[in-house]
Amino acid sequence: MKPRYWFRWMVVQGIPRLVLQTHSRRGDTLARLMSAPAGVHDPIPLLESLRDRGRLVRTPLGWVTTDHELCRTILRDNSFRVAAAEGFVPKPLRWVMDRAELPPNPVSPPSMLVIDPPDHTRMRKPVASAFTPRAIGRLRDRVESVTAELLDALPSRGSADLVAAYASQVPIAIISEMLGFPDSERERFLAWGDAASPLLDIGPSWPTIRTASAALLSMDGYLDEHIARLRREPGEDILSGLVTAGELDDRELKASATLLMGAGFETTVNLISNGVALLVNHPDQLARLREEPELWPNAVEEVLRFDAPVQNTGRINRDDIELAGVPVRAGSTVMLLLAGANRDPQVFEDPHRFDITRANAKDHLTFSSGIHVCLGASLARMEGAYALRALFERFPDLQLDGPPQRRPLFTLHGYSHMPVLLGRRAEQPTAA
């Protein structure tokens, strides 16, 4: 890895990492929350500690809120802009970044995730039609067949790592097909995605960034060849449509591809694995689903609320404003703790209770809100509901085989490994 990438890491992540570690040692709650995932996997006590301090809390790292109404308002207010890591770099140091630009990725411009209108509108519009409810409905048969194939491959009365063998395989198969990638490349994309996912956090270590950068460079080379191939022989997939439309340049095409691949995979793999853990540990809720399978869609909403696959996001206000009665100066960063908003007692009765019949479970903010609401939300919901139902119907005695292992991340919240004992196999297919 070239030295300039180390300097980029130092400017963009190294200094914030040092600041986080310093404030964490001093006991700052937000710093502890952001730097603790590798060792402390239950963020709820820290989120509740912040909630106890008010709707909007000033910390040494900026403003932070766990308030549902406030988070939703900010997400929908276009007077706030997205908070990308590069935006916090002092201008005199930006020459370092310009000389060590990473390949297109989900957390750097021109990714839709970190840009604002009008560029955000221009980038999002060409892909939005692929994620309409009608378009997602047409994918249901493929989700069912992929799920059946994966369940058939699991050993009856055997054991498995459910993340590697199932939870990750369902979404990667579907999003790969949607982008025109061959099945043979799935494992490469899984490896690249796993390496790059820490980029969403603040202050990852240099070895982590070195691994992520190498993965991005490999993916960039692959996408160059893939896009060139689609120009010669376009298919019916999303990326072929973007290529033939000619509205985006190559860097924008690759940024869109990496974001769609990441977003189409990360939320759903965490949703499925989080759902398995919650339902195994709440057998009364699982029994209710077996009696009333029509509750599965609402159960997925409750999983998304109770154990959010995406825990946080950030915004920067353009003008001096007042939030929750507190004056906030222009250019301030506000950390929106979505996992905390999903447990707001002002919105969700008894919020720390997992309840698949919760009437307003869908009011969670896991998929964000406003113009940056997750494009693939409908797809993730459909994949999650079918994958979970099919798994528990095919293996009704499934149980954990030891403690599952959480991913050492702050923003993305899920499991890296989940050993299970599958038990007997029930051969009847899941009803549509």
Side-chain angles (χ1 to χ4, degrees):
M1 191 63 61
K2 297 179 180 179
R4 63 175 180 265
Y5 285 105
W6 184 89
F7 284 108
R8 178 190 173 92
W9 167 78
M10 179 57 70
V11 171
V12 179
Q13 286 107 359
I15 294 174
R17 178 180 177 82
L18 180 60
V19 171
L20 270 180
Q21 291 174 338
T22 299
H23 286 290
S24 180
R25 286 194 296 269
R26 293 174 179 173
D28 178 72
T29 304
L30 180 59
R32 289 175 58 206
L33 181 67
M34 296 171 69
S35 58
V40 180
H41 301 312
D42 182 6
I44 301 305
L46 294 175
L47 291 171
E48 293 306 312
S49 176
L50 287 167
R51 191 191 313 281
D52 290 343
R53 292 166 59 184
R55 296 183 65 201
L56 185 69
V57 179
R58 178 68 172 172
T59 78
L61 303 175
W63 296 97
V64 61
T65 180
T66 59
D67 185 88
H68 186 281
E69 181 185 359
L70 200 53
C71 286
R72 186 173 180 272
T73 297
I74 292 171
L75 289 169
R76 293 182 168 215
D77 189 343
N78 292 339
S79 66
F80 286 82
R81 59 185 176 89
V82 290
E86 285 86 346
F88 300 105
V89 177
K91 289 182 179 179
L93 295 177
R94 291 189 183 177
W95 65 270
V96 176
M97 293 170 48
D98 293 340
R99 287 157 178 78
E101 189 175 44
L102 290 175
N105 65 84
V107 296
S108 298
S111 166
M112 285 181 280
L113 190 67
V114 292
I115 59 176
D116 296 296
D119 287 336
H120 175 267
T121 307
R122 180 178 61 85
M123 293 281 289
R124 185 177 174 111
K125 186 177 179 180
V127 301
S129 61
F131 293 93
T132 62
R134 178 177 295 181
I136 299 306
R138 290 195 294 265
L139 287 170
R140 182 175 177 85
D141 287 347
R142 185 58 184 141
V143 171
E144 292 182 4
S145 63
V146 166
T147 301
E149 292 168 7
L150 292 169
L151 291 173
D152 287 343
L154 293 175
S156 180
R157 300 190 184 277
S159 60
D161 179 347
L162 206 62
V163 174
Y166 186 69
S168 64
Q169 297 297 329
V170 174
I172 199 66
I174 300 304
I175 196 63
S176 292
E177 290 185 17
M178 292 178 72
L179 293 172
F181 298 131
D183 291 348
S184 59
E185 302 296 344
R186 290 181 194 171
E187 293 305 317
R188 292 177 68 185
F189 279 106
L190 284 173
W192 287 336
D194 186 61
S197 57
L199 290 171
L200 287 164
D201 284 352
I202 297 174
S205 68
W206 166 238
T208 299
I209 291 299
R210 184 172 55 198
T211 301
S213 300
L216 291 177
L217 288 167
S218 296
M219 183 181 290
D220 188 58
Y222 177 88
L223 288 173
D224 280 334
E225 295 178 1
H226 185 66
I227 290 170
R229 185 164 53 250
L230 293 181
R231 284 200 169 96
R232 297 190 302 269
E233 302 173 8
E236 300 297 322
D237 55 274
I238 301 173
L239 198 51
S240 289
L242 294 177
V243 169
T244 55
E247 298 177 15
L248 306 179
D249 63 30
D250 277 9
R251 186 168 182 82
E252 291 170 336
L253 284 170
K254 290 187 287 186
S256 293
T258 56
L259 176 60
L260 291 171
M261 177 61 74
F265 165 72
E266 288 291 353
T267 299
T268 310
V269 65
N270 292 340
L271 163 59
I272 295 171
S273 58
N274 292 353
V276 170
L278 283 170
L279 290 168
V280 169
N281 288 320
H282 293 82
D284 59 321
Q285 302 287 290
L286 184 55
R288 183 77 179 268
L289 284 166
R290 288 183 170 127
E291 294 171 0
E292 302 176 62
E294 66 274 12
L295 289 174
W296 273 110
N298 201 71
V300 164
E301 300 298 342
E302 179 68 349
V303 172
L304 289 164
R305 182 198 73 85
F306 192 86
D307 199 8
V310 180
Q311 297 268 297
N312 68 92
T313 187
R315 294 293 186 267
I316 301 172
N317 57 306
R318 302 178 192 272
D319 306 302
D320 291 346
I321 55 170
E322 186 174 286
L323 292 173
V326 179
V328 179
R329 298 189 62 178
S332 298
T333 303
V334 184
M335 177 75 76
L336 311 177
L337 297 177
L338 305 179
N342 290 349
R343 301 282 189 110
D344 190 336
Q346 298 300 314
V347 177
F348 303 103
E349 183 181 355
D350 195 4
H352 302 302
R353 176 170 54 89
F354 179 65
D355 180 8
I356 62 165
T357 67
R358 186 181 298 275
N360 68 338
K362 200 171 183 177
D363 290 341
H364 64 78
L365 294 175
T366 296
F367 290 124
S368 188
S369 190
I371 62 171
H372 284 278
V373 67
C374 177
L375 266 175
S378 295
L379 177 60
R381 287 179 164 112
M382 186 262 283
E383 289 177 331
Y386 190 81
L388 286 167
R389 179 180 175 182
L391 174 68
F392 283 107
E393 289 190 351
R394 184 70 70 90
F395 294 100
D397 302 325
L398 183 147
Q399 58 183 296
L400 297 178
D401 186 20
Q405 182 178 335
R406 284 284 190 185
R407 303 175 74 181
L409 303 172
F410 168 56
T411 300
L412 298 175
H413 192 66
Y415 293 94
S416 58
H417 301 286
M418 182 173 289
V420 297
L421 295 174
L422 295 163
R424 64 187 174 89
R425 181 193 301 270
E427 296 297 343
Q428 66 270 20
T430 301

